[in-house]
Amino acid sequence: MIDKLKENYGSIFEAALISEIERVGIIKEVASGTQLMHIGQYIKSMPLVLSGTLKIMREDQEGDSLLLYYLERGETCAMTLSCCLGNQKSEIIAVTESDTILIMIPIEKMESWTAQFKSWRNFVFESYNHRIKDLLETVDSIAFLKMDERLIKYLEEKSRISEDGIIHKTHQEIAYELHTSRVVISRLLKTLEKKGAISIERNKVKLL
C-alpha cells in the first residue's frame, strides 16, 4: 500500500501524513459498476482513490440520475468530506466506473489532520475548489448547451477516462447519466455517426 500511496500522493502529502494514512487507512478493491454510496447514507469514512474511476451522481424521486463529475486517482470527493465533517447523510450516489482501489480514511481523522498537517488542509481546500468548478460546468452544460453539445462533451470525457478510449455504454445508460430519454440519445448518436464523428457498435461508442 505504501508504494501506491507514495505514487499517487507522495508529491502532495508530507512523509508523516503518508505514514498516518498507511497506519489507519483500509484498502478497498471494488469491481466496476459497484455502488459505494447512496442518498441518505451516513458516511463513516472518506475515500482516497489509488486507481480506477468513480462517478458521482444525483438522483431524483423518480430514480432518474444526473452525472455530476468523476473522481480519478489522486483525488477525493468534496461532498463526502462535507458529510464526514458535518455528520450529515449523503446527498449523492457514488458508483465505480471501472475496477477501483481506494484507501478508506476514518472520519474521526478529518478534523485532527486538518489542524495537524498543512498538506492535508491544502488538499481538502483544493478538492472543494476543484469539485465546485466541476459542478459549475455541469450546471452550465444543462443551462446553456443543447443536448447534442452535452452528449459530445460527455463522450469526450468518457473516452478520456476509458482505458481503451471506447465508451462501453448502452444508449439507455448514456441517457440515464445525461438525464434524458434513450430515444433522444439514439437519434443524436445516429446523427453523429452519419457525420463521421463516432462509430457505433453493440454497447460501444468510439470517437473518431
Side-chain angles (χ1 to χ4, degrees):
M1 182 172 79
I2 192 67
D3 290 337
K4 279 193 172 292
L5 265 174
K6 289 180 177 178
E7 178 185 346
N8 289 283
Y9 297 95
S11 61
I12 303 173
F13 299 150
E14 58 257 63
L17 178 54
I18 292 287
S19 297
E20 270 289 286
I21 294 173
E22 183 188 22
R23 184 177 66 84
V24 303
I26 298 173
I27 287 285
K28 192 169 187 176
E29 298 186 20
V30 190
S32 176
T34 302
Q35 184 170 315
L36 293 174
M37 194 180 305
H38 58 79
I39 293 173
Q41 172 186 351
Y42 279 105
I43 309 302
K44 301 300 183 184
S45 57
M46 63 158 287
L48 297 179
V49 184
L50 291 183
S51 66
T53 306
L54 290 83
K55 56 186 177 185
I56 306 301
M57 310 178 75
R58 283 282 287 163
E59 188 177 83
D60 64 19
Q61 293 181 345
E62 283 72 42
D64 294 325
S65 294
L66 174 68
L67 177 65
L68 298 179
Y69 54 81
Y70 294 102
L71 291 181
E72 300 177 73
R73 68 186 186 95
E75 296 182 336
T76 191
C77 180
M79 289 189 173
T80 303
L81 286 168
S82 296
C83 292
C84 288
L85 293 172
N87 194 29
Q88 298 174 345
K89 294 179 180 180
S90 170
E91 296 184 0
I92 53 96
I93 297 169
V95 180
T96 51
E97 181 73 5
S98 60
D99 293 343
T100 301
I101 301 176
L102 308 165
I103 298 182
M104 307 304 294
I105 307 298
I107 59 173
E108 56 267 21
K109 293 296 179 180
M110 300 299 98
E111 190 170 349
S112 62
W113 284 359
T114 300
Q116 186 178 357
F117 298 107
K118 181 180 179 180
S119 64
W120 179 258
R121 188 163 60 249
N122 290 341
F123 177 68
V124 169
F125 290 154
E126 288 173 8
S127 296
Y128 277 120
N129 185 49
H130 191 185
R131 296 288 81 89
I132 288 172
K133 289 180 179 178
D134 286 339
L135 290 173
L136 287 175
E137 284 187 11
T138 300
V139 171
D140 286 347
S141 293
I142 295 170
F144 305 123
L145 296 183
K146 297 177 181 178
M147 183 52 71
D148 58 343
E149 295 172 317
R150 287 181 60 200
L151 176 59
I152 291 170
K153 185 176 180 180
Y154 169 90
L155 294 175
E156 288 174 343
E157 183 68 1
K158 284 283 189 181
S159 178
R160 182 186 68 79
I161 65 174
S162 173
E163 293 181 356
D164 57 8
I166 297 173
I167 299 94
H168 296 270
K169 295 286 182 181
T170 65
H171 294 193
Q172 182 60 61
E173 288 170 332
I174 295 172
Y176 179 73
E177 294 188 359
L178 289 177
H179 207 281
T180 187
S181 72
R182 183 194 58 78
V183 173
V184 169
I185 292 301
S186 295
R187 175 172 55 79
L188 291 175
L189 287 173
K190 280 293 183 185
T191 300
L192 289 173
E193 187 177 40
K194 289 178 181 178
K195 291 180 178 179
I198 63 172
S199 65
I200 302 175
E201 300 177 28
R202 182 175 176 79
N203 298 338
K204 293 180 184 179
V205 179
K206 183 176 182 179
L207 291 178
L208 302 177

